[in-house]
Structures are given as C-alpha cells and as structure tokens.
Amino acid sequence: MEVTMNIKHLAIIIITPLLLVSCLNSNKSDWVVKINKSDITKEQIQVGFNNLPEDIKQQIPAEKQGEYIINQLIQDEILYQEAIKNTLNLKEDYQNYVKTLTNQFEYQKKQGLIDLFVKETINPKIKVSEQEVIDAYEKNKNTLFKAYEERSISHIVLKTEKEANSIHRKLKNGSNFKTIAKTKSIDKTTAVNSGKIPGKFTENNLSKDFKDAIFNLKRNGSYTKPIKSEAGYHIFKLDSKEIVKEKELKEVKQYIENQIFITKRNQEIATLLDSLKDSYKIEQNKELENTKEKTKTETEAEG
C-alpha cells in the first residue's frame, strides 16, 4: 500500500470549464446543483476555489479543478444528509460543539456533523495491522525514508547578466560574498542577512537549474556562476551541507499508520457514496446549461 494520500472522488456529475465559468459569471439562479432539493451554490463553489490547497492544485489539472470542487461539495452534502438521517445532529457532543462556535456559520456546523458521521460510522470499520505498516515501510524505504542531503545556501541577485558577471569576477578575485550581498543584491529580504536564504534545501525542492548548480558545489563557501530566473541573475553560495540519515521504522511508524488509515477511510467513503448515489436525486441547473451554450456560441462568433 502506498504511503501517500491519493485524491479519490466519486465522479457524480461532470462540470465542464465553460459551464463553470458561465455559472460563476451568470446573474441567473444562484444554485448550480441540487441534491435532494438541497442547493450547491455559486458562492460555495467560489469559496472552494479560493480555499483549494496547493497540494491539490498540483495534483489536479486546472481544467479539472472545478469538477473536483463540485464533486467534493456533492459528497459532503450526501454525507451531511446521511448524518441527519442517523440523527447525529441530536447528539449531545455535537450540540455542545455547535455552542462553542463563535460565529454560527452554517458550513462550520455542517462540517462538524460530517466529521462526526465519519468518526462514528466510517472510522470504526478501519483496522491497520502491524504487517501493513511493515510492508508499507519496506516498499517506501528507498524513496520516502531514504537518507538524503540538505544544504543551506545564500545568494546574490542582480538585475542584469552584465552586473552578475561583474560581481562573479569580483568574488573570484577575493571580494567578500556577504558584503556584496548586503550592498548589491536586489533581493532585499535576504540582503539584510548577507544573502542567507531561510531553511534548508534538498534536490527535491529546487528547480532543475538551481538544483544542478547548487548540488554540484563541493565545499562550503564555494559559489555558482550566475543563473537566470524571473527574479534576475542569481549567484548561490554553499553555506553548509548535512546528510539526514535514513528513517528507521520506529521513527515513521505512526506516520505510516496514519497514512494507511486515511487511505482506507477514503476508500470506505468512496464505497459508501457509490452505494448511496442512486438514493439521491442530483440535478444540474438547466439555466446554466443554456448560459453555457450562449457563451459557446458568442465565443465561436467572435473567433
């Protein structure tokens, strides 16, 4: 079993990019999809876009993100309605949770009830064995948990290639890197710290050009030739390097167990939703379909 959280969602309804744009721009009905007469609105979809985590954005192509958001909203609504059917909204711990909310936002109350439903109906079904943890560790030992090198770096950023080459020559002739970084670098955030970039870097969190240059530096204090980016021309200096040892099973056991649990929980939710989808009437707003066709016609006419 992979120790990663795969994005799984039930493809209940397909929302094309054109329909999504038309529904968000439309002045017609506020609702986009109904689930047993409960609305998913344009505002909810827009909030979903605004709050879509970066890791999800990286995993889902831009043209599929609208479909993902709407399907997530549909799934949440189905789980919420199932929680109501199971009268979880009447439970004392849920009522106490609602009382703690500073602002009685409907989405907070709804999410709290969904979380309670998952906790009481899904989580008890999930078991993670010791052997599953061991197998996942062995499978990922040479990738996720292998030893790796971290490097601390500083840089000087110049506007032009000519300036960068001039500074590079001065460094080769013995000029002080920290002094030049403070006085010449256009990256003022790092310039105040003599060019020091916060944090540590691995080969996995640098662009290819930066990675190749920085990880080819052999000794502390050595620096790269100028490298072009959108920000300007960088000269990187290696401050320090450190080998982070391979993670032993005992160090990552809880992490692996949590990831397997999350994967199994997602699978259980997907199975439940699949079994329930015929019990829920899911309706797409026909007005928006008409808006989409009008937008398409106007776009083709302009072309």
Side-chain angles (χ1 to χ4, degrees), residues 69-295:
I69 290 166
I70 291 177
N71 273 292
Q72 287 298 118
L73 289 169
I74 291 171
Q75 291 177 34
D76 285 350
E77 181 59 35
I78 291 174
L79 294 177
Y80 175 71
Q81 292 187 29
E82 285 296 305
I84 297 291
K85 287 180 185 177
N86 284 273
T87 66
L88 295 181
N89 56 313
L90 303 179
K91 293 199 68 166
E92 184 178 355
D93 52 352
Y94 175 69
Q95 292 296 326
N96 290 336
Y97 163 75
V98 171
K99 290 175 184 176
T100 66
L101 298 177
T102 306
N103 298 304
Q104 298 295 303
F105 291 125
E106 194 61 34
Y107 79 88
Q108 288 179 303
K109 292 189 285 185
K110 179 176 282 191
Q111 189 58 54
L113 194 55
I114 292 169
D115 292 343
L116 181 61
F117 177 78
V118 171
K119 178 183 175 182
E120 297 214 349
T121 65
I122 301 293
N123 289 359
K125 299 178 182 179
I126 302 168
K127 306 295 180 188
V128 179
S129 70
E130 187 81 14
Q131 191 59 50
E132 284 179 297
V133 174
I134 293 170
D135 290 346
Y137 174 75
E138 291 298 327
K139 185 173 183 178
N140 293 277
K141 183 167 63 174
N142 296 323
T143 52
L144 293 179
F145 309 127
K146 68 178 181 179
Y148 61 92
E149 185 179 293
E150 286 183 334
R151 295 193 166 202
S152 298
I153 54 178
S154 298
H155 72 167
I156 300 168
V157 188
L158 292 311
K159 281 186 179 180
T160 68
E161 185 176 13
K162 182 178 179 180
E163 288 178 287
N165 288 333
S166 173
I167 294 298
H168 189 257
R169 284 193 296 271
K170 289 181 180 180
L171 291 170
K172 288 179 69 175
N173 290 330
S175 293
N176 185 275
F177 188 98
K178 291 183 178 181
T179 301
I180 294 177
K182 281 184 176 181
T183 57
K184 299 293 185 182
S185 181
I186 61 174
D187 180 1
K188 300 306 178 186
T189 304
T190 58
V192 295
N193 292 315
S194 304
K196 180 73 174 175
I197 302 175
K200 295 184 178 182
F201 297 86
T202 69
E203 290 184 289
N204 292 330
N205 59 15
L206 290 167
S207 67
K208 186 179 186 309
D209 288 346
F210 285 0
K211 178 193 74 174
D212 291 345
I214 291 167
F215 276 82
N216 277 331
L217 297 174
K218 302 300 182 187
R219 56 183 176 79
N220 294 348
S222 57
Y223 46 84
T224 67
K225 292 179 179 179
I227 304 168
K228 185 180 180 181
S229 81
E230 291 182 359
Y233 290 82
H234 304 253
I235 300 172
F236 292 101
K237 177 172 71 75
L238 175 61
D239 296 325
S240 65
K241 53 185 177 178
E242 176 186 0
I243 298 296
V244 178
K245 68 181 182 66
E246 177 184 297
K247 294 285 192 299
E248 296 181 11
L249 175 58
K250 62 183 179 181
E251 298 176 86
V252 293
K253 183 178 179 181
Q254 190 61 57
Y255 166 79
I256 294 173
E257 190 172 318
N258 290 344
Q259 292 302 306
I260 294 174
F261 183 91
I262 290 168
T263 299
K264 287 189 172 187
R265 184 177 65 193
N266 289 345
Q267 291 168 345
E268 286 287 344
I269 291 172
T271 300
L272 174 65
L273 288 166
D274 193 47
S275 71
L276 291 172
K277 65 181 179 181
D278 292 335
S279 305
Y280 284 82
K281 182 181 179 182
I282 300 173
E283 179 185 356
Q284 190 167 306
N285 192 335
K286 297 300 182 184
E287 283 188 349
L288 298 175
E289 281 286 355
N290 295 335
T291 303
K292 179 189 77 169
E293 290 304 319
K294 182 180 177 183
T295 303

